[in-house]
Amino acid sequence: MSQSGLDDEELFGEAATEIRADVEDHLAAARDALPAASAVWDVEADNTLGVLNGLRTALAVEEVEEHLRDAKKWYTIGERADAFEDADDLAEEIERIEDVLDDLAEVSDAVGDLASAIPELRGELEELHAAGEDEAADEDEAAGEADE
C-alpha cells in the first residue's frame, strides 16, 4: 500500500472518531437541554392558568430539537460513510430522545389547549353565576314588592 493509502485510512479513522464524538456531544447536549423532571412536576402559581403557563414554559424543547437534529445529521453522515464500527448505542440514544420529544410535544399541545380553554370556561361560569345572582335579586325584589 502506498504512503497516501495509509494516510487516507488514518485520516478516515480520525474523521470517524470525530464524527462519533460530535454525535455523542450533541446527544449529551440534547439530554442536558431536556426539562428536569421536577420542572414538569413541581410548579408554583397562584391559579390554574399560572400552573399551565409555568408547565408550558418548562416543556419548551427548541434547544433539544436543535441538538438532536445535529446529532442525527452527523450520525447519518457517519452511517452512510460506513464510518462506525458499532453505532447501535448512538441509534438507540437518538430514538430514546426522539420518543421523549414526541411525548413532550404531545403534553405541550394538551397544556396549550387547556391554557386556552380555562379562561373561556372561567368567563362562562362567571357569566352564568352572575345571571343567576341577577335572577335571584330580581325575585327578591319582586317578592319584596308583593309583600308591600
Side-chain angles (χ1 to χ4, degrees):
M1 208 180 250
S2 70
Q3 181 64 30
S4 66
L6 288 174
D7 289 345
D8 289 348
E9 193 63 35
E10 188 176 313
L11 290 172
F12 185 79
E14 283 181 36
T17 301
E18 289 174 12
I19 290 171
R20 182 177 182 88
D22 282 346
V23 173
E24 290 172 346
D25 289 347
H26 285 294
L27 288 173
R31 266 191 316 277
D32 290 345
L34 286 168
S38 61
V40 298
W41 190 256
D42 300 328
V43 181
E44 291 185 30
D46 294 332
N47 56 43
T48 304
L49 188 58
V51 169
L52 293 171
N53 285 331
L55 184 55
R56 189 168 29 183
T57 299
L59 296 172
V61 293
E62 291 81 16
E63 186 179 351
V64 178
E65 291 171 332
E66 290 174 25
H67 287 296
L68 183 61
R69 185 178 193 290
D70 286 340
K72 287 174 72 173
K73 176 176 59 177
W74 288 112
Y75 176 81
T76 301
I77 289 170
E79 277 292 295
R80 287 192 181 163
D82 200 23
F84 302 132
E85 288 181 25
D86 181 23
D88 291 344
D89 60 327
L90 298 176
E92 289 171 7
E93 186 68 11
I94 287 170
E95 188 175 328
R96 283 188 356 193
I97 293 174
E98 281 180 324
D99 289 346
V100 171
L101 271 177
D102 289 344
D103 292 344
L104 285 169
E106 202 173 298
V107 170
S108 183
D109 289 346
V111 169
D113 291 345
L114 279 172
S116 297
I118 293 293
E120 290 176 26
L121 177 61
R122 178 182 179 207
E124 290 171 358
L125 290 170
E126 286 174 340
E127 287 176 17
L128 191 65
H129 286 293
E133 290 171 4
D134 290 345
E135 285 178 18
D138 290 346
E139 287 175 10
D140 288 346
E141 188 177 308
E145 289 176 5
D147 289 340
E148 290 177 10

